[in-house]
Amino acid sequence: MKLRIGMVVLGVAVLLAGCATRQTPVGLNPDAFGATAGRVGVAMTALPKVDTYFPGASCLLCLAAASIANSSLTTHAKTLSYEDLPKLKERVADALRRKGADVVVIPGEFDVGALPTFANSGPNVAPKDFTSLQKKYGISRLLVIEVQTLGFWRTYSAYFPTSDPKAIFSGRGYIVNLGSNAYDWYLPVNVLRSAEGVWDEPTAFPGLTNAYFQALELGKDSYLNPFAQ
Amino acid sequence: MTARHAGFAFVAAAAFAASCCRAAEVAEATIAPVIAPGLRWELRLPKEDKVVYRGVVSFDGAGVGTASMLYPAPNIAVGLIAVLVHGLTNEAAKKMQKDKLQDAADQVLSPYQVVLADFKYRDLLQRGVERMATGGMRTIVENARTPGAEWFVESLPVFALTQDQRALVMENPLSIYAPGASSAAAWQKTVKVVSGVKTGDDLTAFWTADEGRNLKTESARLLAESLDIALGEAVWGPAKGSEVYQTFRYPEGGSEKMERGQLVAERCHRRVIRTLRGGLLSVPAGDSAVSCDDAAAGAQ
């Protein structure tokens, strides 16, 4: 009986999670940085491994088939570098300084998951409670760079690919007002680049490698451009 | 710098100086200063008659979704057939979508059909070799001709117009045979050349005026540049260039494009990049520190 109740609770939780509203983009609040805005912290979460992703290969056997079919691409993906991506927070910080902001770079990998859940949820309010960071770092706002997916993305319908593999860079960037825990800026980043010409060129995959570095540049631009204007 | 590298740099500099420095308008035929006047080579006509033009297409958005699939499987045989049919229909859908995207991209050429209808490879190659720098004796030969006592070049340039009509892009797969070596090509690569960015209110009129004079002249210029770069490398050996891989940014019409590769040469606001596939790419580089004057001086 306990097991049944547990299964029902789990099922409802999964359904509710599926219905959870997705955060929509929030335009950059010009008051979020500048002489009167207070100090801004810039943090970056841990970078994901460069890897392959097969959305739509939804059954275990489908996923195994997709993994085997793309194993040489997966092996190649793991050899690709981040280039200067780990320094992105310093570049964003420099861009903010050029806009007149007082900026501090938060050292190390920032762990959003370790923050407690924010009690007063609402539109354009961060689900995690960032407010305690105000004292910890002596900042009034926090800009967070989260890169979530990096590598190659190939859509599937069960056992079969529905697209050629493409380079992917996805993530999000946001500024949280540490007084209200509300977003002063929220930008989803989703870059997909296809290989020019054929893609299936094992073992070096030059077309897809080129696309990967293009996606890497475009992804970095997504975080820098809002502060370059 | 070795004699080989100096030779290639010499060709590249003159090629750039001769063909690359006009951004806003296509000038009349410019005859480049001849490099290696003693060099004789032949350029074979492609089998195709009409010059191929396409619209620049992006497949970044291609893909037919991630719909889940429930296979009817009353028994193993039916299940396997269902899986196979699903695989075949998927492949057909992917190909159909790519064809559709290319067809839609080709629509940009609709106003150009009149001027392109009679533009033949023989005409293009003639215009191209007139704008080249390399070799004193250049002969266009029929497609039936095979490599012989001279340097021998096979080429099939294909052009694409950007959707904003501000640039022309040419891909030219080339095979070059050394004199007396008829069986295997000494040099085989694709050279891609991206034109400078054109400006103007009516670019269709700009390209098509006077029976497409600007379009044909620019096409010939891109061809000439690809042949100069290819011959330079085939005859004098690859330029040393940089061993560092970088992601280069360049304008392709109104869009910014990127290419991962190694810098081979930088002259006259243009760069030649060795791509990851081993081909050569010549692109505009507005931020290049080397001016046209410097390039011309270097070629003297």
Side-chain angles (χ1 to χ4, degrees):
Chain A
M1 188 63 186
K2 272 186 181 174
L3 183 68
R4 273 189 195 171
I5 292 169
M7 291 297 281
V8 169
V9 169
L10 184 67
V12 170
V14 166
L15 281 173
L16 287 176
C19 297
T21 51
R22 197 174 266 191
Q23 176 62 49
T24 52
V26 176
L28 183 60
N29 177 0
D31 298 331
F33 51 90
T36 57
R39 180 174 273 195
V40 181
V42 178
M44 191 163 166
T45 58
L47 289 174
K49 284 181 183 166
V50 184
D51 209 341
T52 46
Y53 304 85
F54 310 112
S58 41
C59 63
L60 280 177
L61 216 53
C62 308
L63 192 57
S67 297
I68 291 166
N70 296 280
S71 58
S72 56
L73 181 60
T74 305
T75 305
H76 176 65
K78 292 179 194 303
T79 67
L80 296 174
S81 77
Y82 294 130
E83 285 234 300
D84 61 348
L85 182 61
K87 292 179 182 165
L88 182 59
K89 64 181 173 183
E90 279 84 7
R91 291 182 64 191
V92 170
D94 286 343
L96 281 168
R97 284 188 193 106
R98 282 194 290 274
K99 298 289 249 181
D102 180 12
V103 183
V104 60
V105 175
I106 308 298
E109 293 170 349
F110 185 70
D111 185 3
V112 180
L115 296 173
T117 302
F118 189 60
N120 305 319
S121 64
N124 298 333
V125 171
K128 291 288 184 177
D129 189 350
F130 286 78
T131 54
S132 62
L133 303 176
Q134 198 168 11
K135 268 192 180 173
K136 185 175 178 185
Y137 295 114
I139 53 178
S140 59
R141 287 176 173 83
L142 181 68
L143 189 156
V144 181
I145 298 166
E146 276 188 49
V147 181
Q148 294 159 329
T149 312
L150 201 54
F152 301 106
W153 176 271
R154 189 177 199 187
T155 55
Y156 268 74
S157 171
Y159 294 99
F160 297 103
T162 56
S163 75
D164 293 341
K166 293 172 192 168
I168 185 167
F169 181 117
S170 79
R172 55 188 181 156
Y174 49 89
I175 297 175
V176 182
N177 182 324
L178 302 185
S180 63
N181 212 50
Y183 289 121
D184 274 341
W185 176 61
Y186 187 97
L187 178 76
V189 174
N190 195 16
V191 178
L192 278 173
R193 299 294 287 187
S194 61
E196 199 174 310
V198 295
W199 69 268
D200 197 5
E201 306 165 293
T203 54
F205 293 96
L208 277 172
T209 304
N210 191 39
Y212 167 78
F213 284 103
Q214 289 174 347
L216 200 57
E217 290 297 308
L218 291 167
K220 287 183 288 187
D221 286 354
S222 303
Y223 291 96
L224 289 164
N225 286 345
F227 309 106
Q229 292 148 6
Chain B
M1 186 183 271
T2 64
R4 279 185 152 197
H5 298 153
F8 180 78
F10 191 58
V11 169
F16 290 150
S19 64
C20 314
C21 299
R22 287 153 292 274
E25 196 170 311
V26 178
E28 276 302 304
T30 307
I31 309 300
V34 174
I35 292 166
L39 183 71
R40 300 157 67 95
W41 55 269
E42 296 174 336
L43 177 61
R44 185 164 81 169
L45 276 166
K47 272 185 190 161
E48 290 75 5
D49 188 33
K50 269 179 63 180
V51 182
V52 177
Y53 284 84
R54 294 187 176 130
V56 169
V57 65
S58 165
F59 293 116
D60 289 347
V64 288
T66 57
S68 55
M69 187 74 190
L70 285 174
Y71 298 108
N75 54 54
I76 290 175
V78 174
L80 278 175
I81 290 167
V83 169
L84 281 174
V85 168
H86 182 209
L88 291 172
T89 51
N90 244 351
E91 283 307 305
K94 276 162 61 184
K95 187 181 178 313
M96 198 185 295
Q97 191 198 35
K98 281 189 173 177
D99 291 346
K100 264 189 179 176
L101 286 169
Q102 184 64 63
D103 288 346
D106 289 346
Q107 291 302 310
V108 72
L109 291 169
S110 297
Y112 295 79
Q113 294 311 317
V114 175
V115 298
L116 293 177
D118 296 325
F119 192 32
K120 307 282 174 64
Y121 273 112
R122 186 181 295 276
D123 185 7
L124 171 71
L125 265 51
Q126 190 58 50
R127 290 167 185 253
V129 294
E130 284 169 8
R131 286 163 178 78
M132 285 184 62
T134 313
M137 188 72 175
R138 314 150 192 170
T139 316
I140 295 170
V141 297
E142 296 300 321
N143 184 260
R145 179 76 165 257
T146 52
E150 314 290 355
W151 285 94
F152 187 85
V153 181
E154 291 174 358
S155 154
L156 181 57
V158 172
F159 296 86
L161 185 66
T162 56
Q163 292 300 313
D164 62 6
Q165 303 180 51
R166 294 177 66 188
L168 203 56
V169 181
M170 185 211 60
E171 282 201 43
N172 194 5
L174 288 143
S175 297
I176 300 179
Y177 297 79
S182 58
S183 55
W187 192 93
Q188 206 164 26
K189 280 175 191 171
T190 295
V191 180
K192 180 174 172 180
V193 185
V194 179
S195 78
V197 182
K198 312 299 174 197
T199 54
D201 294 334
D202 188 351
L203 288 166
T204 306
F206 166 76
W207 289 118
T208 57
D210 196 11
E211 297 180 339
R213 183 170 56 92
N214 284 334
L215 185 66
K216 292 172 183 173
T217 304
E218 186 71 356
S219 301
R221 194 189 306 285
L222 301 187
L223 171 65
E225 189 177 348
S226 72
L227 290 170
D228 276 331
I229 290 169
L231 274 162
E233 213 180 77
V235 176
W236 289 286
K240 194 177 178 193
S242 167
E243 290 182 1
V244 178
Y245 283 95
Q246 288 175 257
T247 306
F248 295 91
R249 296 179 181 229
Y250 63 92
E252 188 181 280
S255 310
E256 185 183 58
K257 295 281 177 178
M258 296 168 199
E259 186 74 28
R260 184 81 173 170
Q262 296 164 302
L263 185 64
V264 173
E266 189 171 30
R267 297 282 188 283
C268 196
H269 305 300
R270 288 189 76 84
R271 288 194 179 102
V272 177
I273 299 158
R274 192 176 311 285
T275 68
L276 295 180
R277 285 192 173 117
L280 294 164
L281 170 67
S282 169
V283 296
D287 58 339
S288 167
V290 185
S291 72
C292 303
D293 294 339
D294 294 341
Q300 296 302 309

